[in-house]
Every structure is written in C-alpha cells, then in structure tokens.
Amino acid sequence: MEENKVSKQEKPASKREIFCLSGPLHLSAVDWSNFHHRKSIAASLVQGVYVLERDRQQNRQAPLAYATPWWDFFNFQMIRVLVDDVDSSIFGAIYEFKSFPFNYNHSAQNAPNYVIAFRGTINKSNTRSRDLKLDLMCIRNRLRESSRFQIAMQAVQSIVAVAGSSSIWLAGHSLGSAISLLAGKNVTKMGYRVETYLFNPPFFSVPVEIIKSEKLKHGIRFTSSVVKAGLAAVKGRHQRPQQDDPFTLLSGWIPYLFVNHADPICSGYIGYFEHRKKMEEIGAGKIERIATQNSMGSLLSGSVKSDSEPLHLLPSAYLTINLCQSPDFKRAHGIHQWWDPSFVGQSELHEYSCFSGG
C-alpha cells in the first residue's frame, strides 16, 4: 500500500506543467500596458490552476509542487483556491498582485489587483466524470445551474465587493472560459465591467465552419438568422424593452476572446462575428441582432426566461485569432499557444452600438 502511494507521488510531471520548461520566461520585464504581455500572463495564471489540481491529484507538496512559479514569476500570490463541491477538485484560484513601491514604474499601474482564473476540463480519472458532466451542461446551456458556477460566481462577487471592478481580471480556458463568460455577463448586468480573458471559449452551434465554401456558409447563416428572427417576431420576442435587451445590457462590456481556427470548440466565434459584420454591411443588422438573442431551442420550446440566452451571446468583443499552424487538436485547443513568443495573430474589435443601422 505504501509502495503504491510513493510511486504515485514520484510519477514524473509533464513538461507542460513545469514553468521553467514551458512557461513564458521571455516576460522577465513585464509591460502591463502591452496587450500581448497581459494575454500571456492571464493564460499563465489559468495554467496555474491546472497545475494546482494536478499537484493535488499527484500528492505533490511543496517543495515538490509545480504550480507556484506560474503566478509567482509575475509577482502574484495565490490567496484562495476554489474547490468543486462534488469531486473536491480545484477548478479556480484567486490571485492578488504584490506591488513593490520601492520598485515602482509607470507600466505597473495597469496591473490588476486581483485575477480570478478558472481551468478547463482535465481528462484524468480524478476529474473526468465531473468535468465532462459540466461540459454537457455547457452544451445544453445549463452551466449556470451547476454548483461549480455558483461557487465561482460567489467568489467573483466577493472580490468585486471588496475591490470594485476596475482592478479585477477574469480569465478562463475552455470550460473555465465558459464560467468566466457567464460570470462576466452577470456582473455586467449588475453594473460592473470586469476585464475578461477568454481562451478557447466554447461555441456550441451548427458546425458551419467546417464547410469550405464561403458563399455556402454565408447562405446557411443568413437563412438561419432570417428563420430565427421570423420565429421571434411570431412569438412577440422581437420588441423587448431596452432595459431587458441583452445586447443593450451587455454592449459596453468588451471581453478579450482568443480562438484558433483549427479548434472546432471555439472557432465558431470567427464566423459569428464575421456574419454579424456582413449582416450590418447589407443593412440586415436588426435581423441579426434579433436572431442572435434567441436560440433555436428556446424559440421552439417557447422558453422566455432571460437566463435562457445562448452562452455565446456577445454584443462586443476584442477577438484574437491564432494564425499559426497547429499540428493537432490538442495544440489548437491548448492554453500554451497563448504565451508562445512566436505567436502570430489577427485581432479585431467588434463593438456593438445601440444605434447600429439595419
């Protein structure tokens, strides 16, 4: 029995868990006003949550644990772990920035006081069952009903209550980005805007992106928009009061989205924003805004609950697409790509205006 325990503790860690082997060591001097630096640090703090859970699973205790450098390198301290009440896994962490007045420089003024980060699915026996159940809840647009999200939301609200929203970041990867996205929406509707970094956020819809023909893809999206807008009109859901309009409520919040065109889980966001742009250009922006606010499932079921809005409903976002070639799905969906010093991306601001034409 003891031999088995020892062997479990001595199981070698993956290179990708060890900061000095796979972390962004090139960021030895951080410019907090630099978008790529902030992106890399946010992703590293999310990786810190992954490694925290792997340390727990492998019984790795200090000084043999590997998680600490993922935040310590950037002068953060981890002040709280967020633990799932079902499988006792660590799914999130709250970090506090350690400021040094004697080493003060202008760029540090843009550093957040707190970062709340959430990991995605870990495909290991300790976490697989719970994480996959949450993935399914995400697909069914019911993640907000999970106890994990409720724990996450309580943590976000507690930090906002203490520090306000201007000095807080939310960050997440995959399933964790879905949690961050929901939490960000909730606090925005409460009147706060939190800087948010969403890495490979899930976009669950018809996989139109796999179609090669751009003309066919646009035709399918256009038809879908017209059908949904038509159904919404028939059901009287096209004339919501402005204070209840999700687009109006969320329009001022601009989260940072990071997607890879080779990742089918998140690549739908590319077509989502491209289609919205095209619909505005042809004068059909109003049709698209009505269509986006209503999922086909909610229209057919007759659900009118405000919390039934699609997870991917985002009026505004700063979308970054990784243009580097990914050899496989694991790399395309992985967190490490977002701090790679050879990263090549394309970024575009998609900002919704309440007075858009169409």
Side-chain angles (χ1 to χ4, degrees):
M1 188 78 167
E2 285 299 315
E3 289 180 2
N4 290 338
K5 187 174 181 180
V6 171
S7 64
K8 184 177 180 181
Q9 288 176 327
E10 294 178 350
K11 185 176 179 180
S14 163
K15 173 185 174 182
R16 299 174 77 78
E17 296 174 9
I18 303 173
F19 183 84
C20 65
L21 298 180
S22 64
L25 295 171
H26 59 286
L27 292 181
S28 54
V30 175
D31 177 1
W32 287 99
S33 64
N34 184 301
F35 169 68
H36 296 290
H37 287 199
R38 300 201 316 272
K39 162 181 67 70
S40 299
I41 293 169
S44 296
L45 296 178
V46 173
Q47 174 67 356
V49 182
Y50 276 108
V51 183
L52 270 170
E53 173 55 19
R54 291 296 291 143
D55 281 345
R56 185 192 74 86
Q57 292 179 4
Q58 297 298 320
N59 295 318
R60 297 190 298 240
Q61 305 291 331
L64 301 177
Y66 292 104
T68 304
W70 289 98
W71 58 82
D72 195 54
F73 187 81
F74 304 109
N75 292 327
F76 284 92
Q77 59 184 345
M78 194 267 294
I79 61 173
R80 180 183 168 190
V81 294
L82 303 178
V83 178
D84 190 281
D85 63 341
V86 175
D87 65 358
S88 300
S89 68
I90 297 171
F91 72 88
I94 302 176
Y95 303 101
E96 183 176 13
F97 185 68
K98 299 179 291 184
S99 58
F100 299 101
F102 57 85
N103 192 29
Y104 182 84
N105 61 72
H106 179 73
S107 64
Q109 290 183 2
N110 295 308
N113 291 336
Y114 297 94
V115 177
I116 309 169
F118 304 101
R119 68 165 175 84
T121 302
I122 296 180
N123 191 22
K124 301 292 182 182
S125 58
N126 314 60
T127 48
R128 183 183 298 120
S129 176
R130 174 62 169 161
D131 285 358
L132 290 179
K133 285 180 181 176
L134 290 165
D135 289 336
L136 288 173
M137 292 187 76
C138 194
I139 292 171
R140 297 168 59 201
N141 199 30
R142 299 185 66 177
L143 183 62
R144 58 174 53 83
E145 299 172 14
S146 69
S147 58
R148 180 177 293 188
F149 173 70
Q150 298 301 324
I151 293 168
M153 193 63 224
Q154 289 168 11
V156 172
Q157 288 177 299
S158 68
I159 296 297
V160 170
V162 170
S165 60
S166 61
S167 60
I168 298 172
W169 287 6
L170 291 178
H173 174 248
S174 193
L175 173 62
S177 69
I179 292 174
S180 296
L181 176 54
L182 280 176
K185 285 184 176 184
N186 280 3
V187 294
T188 299
K189 291 174 181 177
M190 295 173 188
Y192 302 99
R193 293 178 189 173
V194 177
E195 190 163 325
T196 305
Y197 294 81
L198 305 173
F199 301 100
N200 302 83
F203 185 100
F204 298 112
S205 187
V206 178
V208 181
E209 288 303 309
I210 63 174
I211 300 172
K212 300 294 184 183
S213 169
E214 290 297 323
K215 189 174 182 180
L216 180 57
K217 279 195 288 189
H218 178 62
I220 291 172
R221 291 193 182 107
F222 181 84
T223 302
S224 174
S225 296
V226 171
V227 170
K228 285 195 290 184
L231 285 172
V234 170
K235 293 176 177 288
R237 292 167 61 175
H238 63 300
Q239 294 180 323
R240 306 186 193 192
Q242 193 171 61
Q243 66 269 22
D244 296 331
D245 177 11
F247 264 63
T248 302
L249 292 170
L250 299 173
S251 60
W253 178 52
I254 306 177
Y256 295 98
L257 267 64
F258 302 91
V259 304
N260 189 310
H261 60 85
D263 177 9
I265 290 177
C266 67
S267 61
Y269 274 107
I270 300 172
Y272 168 80
F273 283 110
E274 283 180 351
H275 177 58
R276 275 192 28 203
K277 190 175 179 180
K278 287 179 181 176
M279 292 290 276
E280 291 286 351
E281 289 172 353
I282 66 174
K286 185 174 182 180
I287 290 175
E288 180 57 22
R289 289 194 294 278
I290 295 171
T292 307
Q293 295 173 50
N294 296 278
S295 68
M296 191 65 77
S298 67
L299 285 168
L300 295 177
S301 67
S303 173
V304 294
K305 294 194 301 180
S306 61
D307 63 359
S308 66
E309 69 189 35
L311 176 65
H312 61 257
L313 171 65
L314 277 176
S316 305
Y318 193 81
L319 179 69
T320 297
I321 304 169
N322 186 350
L323 300 178
C324 300
Q325 290 297 317
S326 300
D328 51 41
F329 167 75
K330 189 174 182 180
R331 296 292 180 86
H333 190 65
I335 188 75
H336 288 68
Q337 64 185 302
W338 302 114
W339 63 73
D340 189 331
S342 62
F343 174 84
V344 177
Q346 172 186 308
S347 298
E348 184 176 358
L349 173 63
H350 298 272
E351 192 168 11
Y352 172 79
S353 170
C354 298
F355 303 103
S356 295

